[in-house]
Amino acid sequence: MAGKPSLADAFLIVDPQVDFCPGGTLPVPEGDAIFLAVNRAARNLPLVVASRDWHPPDHCSFRSRGGPWPPHCVQDTLGAEFHPALDRGPIQAVFSKATERDHEAYSAFEGTSEGVRLGDWLRARGVGRLAVAGLATDYCVRASVLDGLRLGFEIIVIEDGVRAVEVKPGDGERAVAEMRRAGARFARSEELA
Ligand code: VGL
Ligand code: ZN
């Protein structure tokens, strides 16, 4: 395909799951509004991966175990599936995280696909510049972006492809400021086309 060179070598879609969208058990306000931007970015970037929150039924982050969250993204349930509005076609690998009952993991870089960690998988494919979108801005997107920067990736957040939970009002904006300070850049999905 002819066109501008890509702004990124690969695209990470963080936790685009049913439970994080309206109607799910841990809904992010307007969580399902990310998919236009996410699908557009995925069409226009050369390599696409996704992470998924993939909890056992008694995960330590659940209120039943003293954690902060209602049960969500329980392995092999409907709520843990990718949202139907996500175009799965371009996704080449899925990285599961927080799969053990006593360990919480917000960052997609703690996720594995067939035993391989996300960072190693990307490096093995020559990825240096990574675009990131998904849910939620103030939790798993934030943690993934900060981790990716620490690991030496250049990170570009797709700003129309993220939404925040906002347990406290302003959490989304604070997370954006923190990602910027750490060195993340921001672009709109149209800029990738
Ligand atoms: C997430 C809260 C709990 C996320 C995951 O994907 O942002 N948030 N588990
Ligand atoms: Zn979770």
Side-chain angles (χ1 to χ4, degrees), residues 11-28:
F11 181 33
L12 167 64
I13 310 168
V14 177
D15 302 359
Q17 290 164 278
V18 167
D19 272 341
F20 295 130
C21 291
T25 61
L26 206 175
V28 174

Side-chain angles (χ1 to χ4, degrees), residues 98-147:
T99 60
E100 286 163 43
R101 66 186 292 280
D102 295 327
H103 181 68
E104 176 62 307
Y106 289 138
S107 167
F109 286 93
E110 291 195 58
T112 58
S113 175
E114 293 168 1
V116 182
R117 286 203 163 220
L118 173 61
D120 296 333
W121 194 98
L122 292 171
R123 275 208 200 93
R125 286 157 183 79
V127 172
R129 301 168 309 158
L130 182 67
V132 179
L135 303 170
T137 313
D138 36 359
Y139 286 90
C140 289
V141 171
R142 171 187 173 278
S144 302
V145 166
L146 296 178
D147 242 9

Side-chain angles (χ1 to χ4, degrees), residues 17-20 25 53-56 62 71-75 77 79-80:
Q17 290 164 278
V18 167
D19 272 341
F20 295 130
T25 61
D53 215 26
W54 195 245
H55 297 316
F62 297 171
H72 62 278
C73 299
V74 173
Q75 295 166 10
T77 65

